[in-house]
Amino acid sequence: MGESKSFNLRHRDPQSNDKAVEMKHVVDEKDATMDEIVVVEKGVELKRELGIFGGISFIMGTIVGSGIFVSPKGVLDVTGSVGLSLMVWTGAGLIALMGALCYSELGTLIRKSGGEYTYIRLAYGNFPAFICSWVSLALVRPSSMGVMSLTFGTYFASIFDTCGSPEVIIKMAAIACLLTVMLLNCYSVRLSSTLQIIFTTAKIAALFIIIVGASTKCRSEYTKVISTGFEGSTTDPSTIALAFYDALWAYDGWNTLNMVAEELKNHPSINLPLANMVSLVMVIIIYVLTNICYLTVMSKQELLDANAVAVLWGDRVIQSASVIIPVSVMISTFGSVNGTAFSGGRMIFAAARDENLPEVLSFVNVKQNTPLTSMLFTMVVSITFVLLGDISSLVDFFSFTAWLFYGLTFGSIIIFRLRYKDEPRPYKVPIIIPVIMCLISIYLVVAPIVNQPDMGYLYAVLFALSGTILYLPLVYFQLKVPYFDQITTYLQLVFEISPTKKVD
């Protein structure tokens, strides 16, 4: 006891031909034991802290956000009937499940964090992977987190008797939500995982209340809407396809666990596929039952007109206890922000480790073994979006790019089957599934542009390609930014972060 251990801090010295310069920093053993801090010759590793229940909670907690509580009306509006809308909700869930099965093979074959970025880089090369990380880093992830945190702030303001400008209160609550998530993820993976389990359990319990509450109303006067079945269904194939597009965004987050593959413990080759399958099956059941339950206590038109469907349901069924619903929305959005931050930070971490982003974003805190810098950066950008105000349109225009990268990822399975055909695959998806998912991805990229042309989609494409301006000088030609090495060294000393071990 009382001995000191050392870890390596590294920076690039412009006077030493870009060789790594080793520096020493002391950690007192009373503050950190070897069980709490992993020190390796070439850097610090992320610890495997995420078990099967934590994995399921991160997937379900990321998928089930505020949408199922607030406004699950888009699919019903497009399809025109209860029966067809429920078929779309089920079908979209099965598509998400097929996507998760594809990712299960990739995650057990390539056990690296980073999700789509990692698989695209290995299958197609560095540049497409860089564009994937660039779009995710600069806009998609932080803007999505900004929208979710603003929803948290809206319901916070609705519950408490606040004074002053509601907009200011909403933004303050949103920023508080983001900062809390940042602190949790920077402090401990285990704590973040435990809280995710708690929040996911709470939001599922709230949906269970809705399901059980609606079951008490299953008398004839309350089932008139459900009994209409397929009456009024649209017959236009393109319209039905767009309804699937709407429903699939409610299932977005099914790929969460592949982002953190290096942090799965206890047989990740088993836990990853199991968590993916269990999570998606449970979400499909919950989504379909919840939609049925809404329609037992309100008409189709009431559901379409309601800004917050679950709140209206609560006023009618549980009345004086209806405050449960806004609180549930807050819990649900907080869990979604936590899951998105946890997984999104790992994509940035993986890209930085491959030197596609500033290397300092891959550094890990030597005491907590958390990717502190990537998480800080993600939160700073997210808070910036919150301060800007209305950013939901940005999410709409950039959402289609997610399916572009999903499609490339599904295609990588076929490439890896040919390129690495002799590699062991603990889980192997039937080849027809990635083929189907590639075709679905192509449609989901093209459909919104063809059906509703808008200059916003062009701007989204141009923004994605603008990453080339950074890629060529900083990644391809590896030009150095003046004083960046000194900044990196300063950040290492302040935050006690160290380079990570390269994973092959």
Side-chain angles (χ1 to χ4, degrees):
M1 298 295 296
E3 294 180 359
S4 293
K5 294 183 176 69
S6 65
F7 63 86
N8 293 329
L9 287 176
R10 188 182 67 176
H11 74 285
R12 300 289 184 182
D13 186 345
Q15 304 299 323
S16 61
N17 297 322
D18 293 329
K19 293 181 180 179
V21 177
E22 301 295 330
M23 301 166 59
K24 297 292 182 181
H25 186 78
V26 176
V27 176
D28 196 314
E29 190 177 46
K30 69 181 180 182
D31 294 326
T33 67
M34 289 305 290
D35 290 332
E36 296 170 334
I37 172 173
V38 181
V39 182
V40 294
E41 182 179 354
K42 295 183 180 179
V44 181
E45 291 180 304
L46 296 174
K47 290 177 66 178
R48 294 190 179 274
E49 296 274 19
L50 201 57
I52 182 66
F53 292 110
I56 292 173
S57 296
F58 268 109
I59 298 172
M60 294 187 66
T62 304
I63 294 175
V64 182
S66 62
I68 194 64
F69 292 98
V70 179
S71 186
K73 59 187 179 182
V75 176
L76 180 61
D77 186 30
V78 174
T79 56
S81 74
V82 173
L84 185 56
S85 69
L86 294 178
M87 286 188 63
V88 169
W89 277 109
T90 305
L94 293 175
I95 291 173
L97 177 59
M98 288 193 294
L101 295 179
C102 293
Y103 274 53
S104 295
E105 175 173 332
L106 290 168
T108 54
L109 174 66
I110 304 163
R111 299 181 187 179
K112 292 179 64 176
S113 295
E116 294 85 26
Y117 162 81
T118 297
Y119 311 136
I120 289 172
R121 185 171 185 264
L122 191 58
Y124 306 100
N126 204 46
F127 179 68
F130 173 84
I131 296 298
C132 176
S133 64
W134 160 247
V135 174
S136 178
L137 160 80
L139 206 132
V140 173
R141 291 279 175 168
S143 62
S144 296
M145 289 168 58
V147 169
M148 287 186 284
S149 64
L150 285 170
T151 302
F152 175 93
T154 299
Y155 278 83
F156 175 88
S158 71
I159 293 174
F160 298 99
D161 185 14
T162 57
C163 59
S165 170
E167 184 178 355
V168 172
I169 300 299
I170 289 171
K171 289 189 176 182
M172 288 176 62
I175 292 172
C177 171
L178 291 169
L179 290 175
T180 303
V181 168
M182 180 191 70
L183 292 173
L184 289 173
N185 282 272
C186 289
Y187 179 73
S188 171
V189 171
R190 182 178 298 176
L191 177 60
S192 180
S193 174
T194 301
L195 288 176
Q196 188 72 3
I197 293 174
I198 294 171
F199 281 115
T200 300
T201 303
K203 72 172 72 176
I204 298 305
L207 291 170
F208 184 73
I209 290 172
I210 292 175
I211 294 169
V212 173
S215 67
T216 65
K217 303 291 184 180
C218 288
R219 300 187 297 274
S220 59
E221 65 267 29
Y222 289 104
T223 57
K224 291 179 181 178
V225 179
I226 299 295
S227 63
T228 60
F230 291 88
E231 181 182 325
S233 297
T234 181
T235 57
D236 182 7
S238 63
T239 302
I240 295 173
L242 285 176
F244 271 93
Y245 189 87
D246 288 338
L248 279 168
W249 292 124
Y251 285 98
D252 199 38
W254 50 264
N255 58 332
T256 295
L257 211 54
N258 286 67
M259 298 283 187
V260 297
E262 293 170 36
E263 295 167 79
L264 292 174
K265 64 180 181 180
N266 300 335
H267 310 293
S269 61
I270 298 174
N271 283 353
L272 179 62
L274 181 61
N276 280 341
M277 285 184 273
V278 169
S279 302
L280 265 298
V281 170
M282 291 180 66
V283 171
I284 292 170
I285 294 172
I286 290 169
Y287 273 11
V288 172
L289 287 178
T290 303
N291 276 276
I292 291 174
C293 291
Y294 288 148
L295 290 167
T296 60
V297 296
M298 64 186 77
S299 69
K300 186 169 72 173
Q301 192 58 49
E302 285 176 325
L303 188 146
L304 292 175
D305 292 339
N307 291 323
V309 177
V311 173
L312 177 58
W313 182 94
D315 290 338
R316 292 190 174 180
V317 178
I318 55 180
Q319 298 171 0
S320 61
S322 60
V323 71
I324 292 174
I325 300 301
V327 172
S328 298
V329 174
M330 289 175 59
I331 292 172
S332 186
T333 50
F334 186 91
S336 293
V337 172
N338 186 50
T340 304
F342 189 89
S343 59
R346 268 56 177 184
M347 177 183 283
I348 296 173
F349 163 85
R353 185 173 57 187
D354 294 331
E355 299 182 358
N356 273 324
L357 295 173
E359 190 180 10
V360 70
L361 293 178
S362 70
F363 286 9
V364 171
N365 182 271
V366 298
K367 291 183 178 179
Q368 305 302 137
N369 291 97
T370 54
L372 189 146
T373 47
S374 64
M375 190 58 60
L376 286 175
F377 184 86
T378 300
M379 289 303 171
V380 168
V381 179
S382 299
I383 290 172
T384 301
F385 278 119
V386 168
L387 294 174
L388 288 176
D390 183 16
I391 53 177
S392 58
S393 59
L394 285 176
V395 178
D396 292 338
F397 288 131
F398 278 85
S399 291
F400 83 99
T401 61
W403 279 97
L404 171 62
F405 297 122
Y406 291 162
L408 290 173
T409 303
F410 298 135
S412 71
I413 295 177
I414 302 170
I415 293 173
F416 294 150
R417 289 280 182 94
L418 299 174
R419 188 182 297 172
Y420 309 115
K421 56 184 177 182
D422 296 326
E423 289 293 325
R425 287 171 169 80
Y427 175 82
K428 191 172 184 179
V429 67
I431 193 63
I432 188 63
I433 293 181
V435 172
I436 292 173
M437 293 305 297
C438 283
L439 295 176
I440 291 173
S441 299
I442 292 171
Y443 175 81
L444 291 174
V445 170
V446 175
I449 301 174
V450 172
N451 285 275
Q452 293 181 332
D454 193 289
M455 289 299 292
Y457 295 116
L458 176 61
Y459 296 148
V461 172
L462 292 177
F463 179 85
L465 294 178
S466 69
T468 308
I469 299 173
L470 298 175
Y471 179 81
L472 289 176
L474 300 180
V475 179
Y476 188 81
F477 293 108
Q478 296 185 338
L479 299 180
K480 300 298 179 182
V481 178
Y483 304 109
F484 195 77
D485 292 324
Q486 290 88 332
I487 295 173
T488 299
T489 303
Y490 177 77
L491 292 174
Q492 287 185 264
L493 294 172
V494 170
F495 294 112
E496 295 186 327
I497 52 177
S498 176
T500 49
K501 180 182 179 181
K502 300 294 183 182
V503 177
D504 297 327

